Amino acid sequence: MDQERKIRKKFEMKRRRVVLSIKEKAKIIEDFEKGLSTTEIKIKYKIPDSTAYDLKKNQHNLKEEIARYQIPYEKRKTLKKAKYPLLDNALYLWFLQKRERHIPVSQDMLAIQAKKLFTEIYGEGTFQGSRGYTRKFIQRHSIRFLKITGEKLSNDLAGIDAYVEQFAAIVRKNALSAAQIFNADESGLYYKCTPDSTFVANNEPSAPGRKGNKERLTFMPCSNADGSFKLPLMMIGKSKRPRALKNIDVLPVYYASSKNAWMTRVLFRDWFFEEFVPKVTAYLQSANLPLRAVLVLDNCSAHCSIDELRTPDGAFSTIFLPPNTTAVLQPMDQNIIQMVKANYRHKLMREILGRPGEFHDNLKKINIKDVIFWVAEAWEEVPAASIAKSWKLLYTEPEFDDEDDVPLSIIQQRLATIKEKMAEREGETIEDENAEFDTMTDAEIVNAVINPDVLFYEGGSTSDTVCDENGDTSTENAMQDEEHEQITDQSALNSLDNVITWAEENRLSLEKQFFLRDLRGTILDKIVNSK
């Protein structure tokens, strides 16, 4: 027993190995500077005496190292010095200077510069500036590798603040509310483009690809500053009357065509007077707002001049953003167009994966009609809150200390909002009175579309008694319904495709067509999730 106690005591007295991260060491140094004693530090961080004393002894050197490198040590536990410290410091300083000027820096550039600096510091030698050296340099200084995005560095940042003030003055002068300020911007869409990156198995040496599909459309979203009104998308294709739209007269977008599917001055002027002015006029009337609106545009050469884009009475006009500021100030460039494209790609992948057959064979079957409806749905799915946020850099609704200073347009908008809320409350009362009636599930809706003669009630169960043409009742149809085979998802999808085609040929309203397509999307989601 005595021998066991000695062994246990010796084991307990054995020094515990504690490896602190650089971040933890930095916190301990801060506590030392605050006046905490070594004993308090040891208890707080549960470290041995020797570790606490070593940190206290070397706190100044460690603090200097952290301050010199200026990097967040989240996971690193040691500060290993480079083999060539002068070269390391010189290369890091060169790197920081390049990034301050927003110059892209690659690993090859680091290797070339390292070799050049080595020669200048140490003279000729065997140093090669290998990728191994640059990789360790990157790890040592916690340098990240990012993809260059956007066009902000091409913008005139100095003139942005001045224009924001100028724009606010224009809004105040014309007594406009956020609901009367609009922005539109074009973007290209390679509507059959597949992902250019992929996950691969561990044993795959590379990811061979196919020739990219370059079929392209141009779309242009337009909305007001508070997101309360989104105009239908303008879409531009190459064909004036695509074959896929042969029997369709009503589209959820404003469709136009040009030789290269690009915007032209003629197309934009037609859109302004045939789509923008009538649609915005109807919206302002419904919202009880003054019939005044301004459209903010960039300096694209396809946009007409201010004089051309103006109604005779001056109620509807345009404003152009200064050159080299659109990437920062243009609201539609602040992630709105990206959201539309992301929503569209989701619908495209869902269609391809939900269909039987090979991936690329299904991709070839996609036509412009499908694309138009999917992009329109993708635009509708962009929330109003996101659109309102996209305007923050250019315009923010002013706050008024005195209610007497509030413009009439804003007061009218507030009244319209109150009326809408009251109407919603009245609608809630009606819904509560009908709450006892069950709603149909997606499967029941599909069956109702495919078999319109079958009656459903109370959750979709078939009636036990069905009247024939003479008014007599019979249970035969009900018995047959109970014994019929369950309809597969793929069969429902094929049937619904026929229903959608029928709806388009018979010119049903867009609301009904969108309902059918939304139902079709639900079936596709079920097919994809079941694979």
Side-chain angles (χ1 to χ4, degrees):
M1 292 295 293
D2 293 339
Q3 185 66 21
E4 291 181 1
R5 289 175 183 171
K6 290 180 180 180
I7 294 174
R8 188 180 298 111
K9 185 176 181 181
K10 183 177 180 180
F11 179 79
E12 292 175 351
M13 292 177 62
K14 186 177 179 180
R15 178 180 176 180
R16 290 177 295 138
R17 178 176 176 80
V18 178
V19 181
L20 299 172
S21 66
I22 301 299
K23 184 177 181 180
E24 291 172 329
K25 292 178 182 178
K27 289 183 178 180
I28 292 175
I29 292 174
E30 290 179 3
D31 288 341
F32 274 128
E33 293 177 346
K34 292 178 181 178
L36 270 68
S37 64
T38 306
T39 303
E40 291 173 327
I41 293 292
K42 180 184 69 173
I43 296 173
K44 180 179 179 180
Y45 293 95
K46 299 179 181 180
I47 57 177
D49 294 343
S50 57
T51 303
Y53 283 114
D54 288 342
L55 288 173
K56 185 174 183 180
K57 180 180 178 181
N58 300 315
Q59 61 176 311
H60 298 294
N61 294 334
L62 183 60
K63 187 176 179 180
E64 289 178 0
E65 287 291 314
I66 295 175
R68 181 168 63 87
Y69 283 102
Q70 298 179 354
I71 53 178
Y73 296 98
E74 295 292 339
K75 297 181 180 179
R76 289 184 59 181
K77 298 181 182 297
T78 59
L79 275 174
K80 292 183 180 180
K81 293 186 177 181
K83 183 178 180 180
Y84 303 104
L86 294 178
L87 173 62
D88 186 84
N89 294 340
L91 185 59
Y92 187 62
L93 179 60
W94 174 86
F95 168 76
L96 292 178
Q97 289 179 344
K98 294 297 181 184
R99 289 310 304 145
E100 285 178 357
R101 296 168 58 189
H102 299 289
I103 297 176
V105 179
S106 66
Q107 193 168 354
D108 290 334
M109 292 174 64
L110 287 173
I112 294 171
Q113 187 65 22
K115 190 174 181 180
K116 180 180 178 182
L117 291 173
F118 180 89
T119 303
E120 294 179 1
I121 296 172
Y122 300 102
E124 296 294 334
T126 59
F127 181 79
Q128 298 296 323
S130 63
R131 296 187 72 85
Y133 171 82
T134 55
R135 184 178 65 253
K136 291 180 180 179
F137 173 83
I138 290 170
Q139 293 174 350
R140 188 160 51 246
H141 294 276
S142 298
I143 295 173
R144 298 182 300 158
F145 184 73
L146 298 178
K147 182 178 178 63
I148 298 174
T149 58
E151 303 173 357
K152 290 187 176 180
L153 298 182
S154 300
N155 288 269
D156 180 15
L157 301 179
I160 288 177
D161 292 339
Y163 181 77
V164 170
E165 295 180 1
Q166 179 184 347
F167 182 79
I170 294 173
V171 172
R172 288 193 299 269
K173 179 181 178 181
N174 293 277
L176 299 172
S177 66
Q180 297 169 281
I181 308 170
F182 290 79
N183 175 240
D185 188 29
E186 307 90 345
S187 180
L189 176 67
Y190 293 98
Y191 59 89
K192 288 189 179 181
C193 184
T194 55
D196 57 2
S197 302
T198 180
F199 291 103
V200 298
N202 189 37
N203 58 353
E204 290 186 69
S206 62
R210 298 172 182 262
K211 185 178 179 180
N213 192 301
K214 297 299 182 181
E215 294 184 69
R216 181 182 183 275
L217 292 171
T218 296
F219 72 95
M220 184 178 72
C222 179
S223 173
N224 57 3
D226 60 3
S228 59
F229 181 60
K230 296 187 290 185
L231 277 80
L233 287 175
M234 179 182 187
M235 295 198 68
I236 306 172
K238 292 183 179 180
S239 176
K240 185 175 182 180
R241 189 68 179 176
R243 186 178 302 175
L245 305 179
K246 183 178 180 180
N247 297 317
I248 301 177
D249 292 333
V250 181
L251 289 174
V253 300
Y254 179 89
Y255 182 82
S257 63
S258 66
K259 183 178 179 180
N260 298 316
W262 292 344
M263 178 67 79
T264 66
R265 296 172 68 90
V266 173
L267 292 181
F268 194 88
R269 183 168 55 248
D270 291 344
W271 171 84
F272 181 81
F273 288 103
E274 296 176 5
E275 183 76 0
F276 178 78
V277 173
K279 288 282 197 307
V280 174
T281 299
Y283 162 73
L284 295 176
Q285 289 175 341
S286 65
N288 294 321
L289 291 172
L291 295 182
R292 293 193 305 273
V294 63
L295 176 62
V296 182
L297 300 170
D298 58 22
N299 285 273
C300 174
S301 58
H303 297 161
C304 304
S305 65
I306 292 179
D307 294 334
E308 293 179 274
L309 300 177
R310 182 185 181 90
T311 55
D313 58 359
F316 295 86
S317 59
T318 54
I319 297 177
F320 286 95
L321 295 170
N324 300 323
T325 62
T326 55
V328 175
L329 294 181
Q330 176 112 279
M332 291 300 161
D333 274 349
Q334 312 305 319
N335 208 36
I336 300 302
I337 290 177
Q338 291 87 335
M339 291 177 68
V340 175
K341 290 184 177 181
N343 293 341
Y344 167 77
R345 291 192 187 101
H346 171 76
K347 297 177 186 300
L348 175 64
M349 291 299 106
R350 182 183 65 182
E351 175 71 21
I352 295 174
L353 297 175
R355 280 289 188 181
E358 294 295 328
F359 182 92
H360 290 281
D361 291 338
N362 291 339
L363 182 63
K364 293 178 182 178
K365 298 176 183 177
I366 305 300
N367 57 43
I368 288 184
K369 181 184 70 175
D370 299 323
V371 175
I372 286 176
F373 275 90
W374 291 339
V375 177
E377 291 173 4
W379 171 232
E380 287 299 320
E381 290 171 3
V382 176
S386 298
I387 295 176
K389 289 179 182 178
S390 71
W391 283 80
K392 283 189 174 181
L393 294 176
L394 177 61
Y395 174 75
T396 303
E397 190 89 66
E399 296 182 1
F400 300 95
D401 297 330
D402 190 348
E403 286 295 327
D404 293 336
D405 297 332
V406 180
L408 179 61
S409 60
I410 295 179
I411 295 176
Q412 291 175 329
Q413 187 179 4
R414 291 176 181 176
L415 292 174
T417 303
I418 294 172
K419 291 181 180 179
E420 289 178 1
K421 291 183 177 179
M422 293 177 65
E424 289 176 0
R425 291 181 179 178
E426 293 177 0
E428 290 174 0
T429 305
I430 296 174
E431 291 176 0
D432 292 339
E433 293 174 354
N434 297 319
E436 63 186 65
F437 295 97
D438 294 333
T439 57
M440 297 172 66
T441 65
D442 291 343
E444 291 163 358
I445 295 174
V446 173
N447 288 332
V449 173
I450 298 172
N451 303 305
D453 295 332
V454 179
L455 301 179
F456 289 83
Y457 79 102
E458 293 185 1
S461 60
T462 56
S463 174
D464 292 336
T465 59
V466 180
C467 295
D468 60 16
E469 295 179 354
N470 298 322
D472 298 330
T473 59
S474 172
T475 60
E476 182 178 355
N477 291 336
M479 294 292 292
Q480 290 177 354
D481 290 339
E482 292 178 1
E483 295 174 358
H484 86 284
E485 295 182 0
Q486 185 176 1
I487 299 173
T488 64
D489 296 333
Q490 191 60 54
S491 176
L493 184 65
N494 295 336
S495 300
L496 197 53
D497 283 339
N498 293 331
V499 175
I500 291 174
T501 303
W502 174 87
E504 293 169 349
E505 292 176 350
N506 287 272
R507 298 170 177 78
L508 265 65
S509 66
L510 288 176
E511 182 180 359
K512 294 180 179 179
Q513 291 188 44
F514 272 125
F515 167 76
L516 294 174
R517 287 182 172 273
D518 183 61
L519 178 58
R520 185 178 183 277
T522 302
I523 300 173
L524 276 172
D525 284 334
K526 190 171 184 294
I527 293 175
V528 172
N529 294 333
S530 63
K531 288 187 175 181

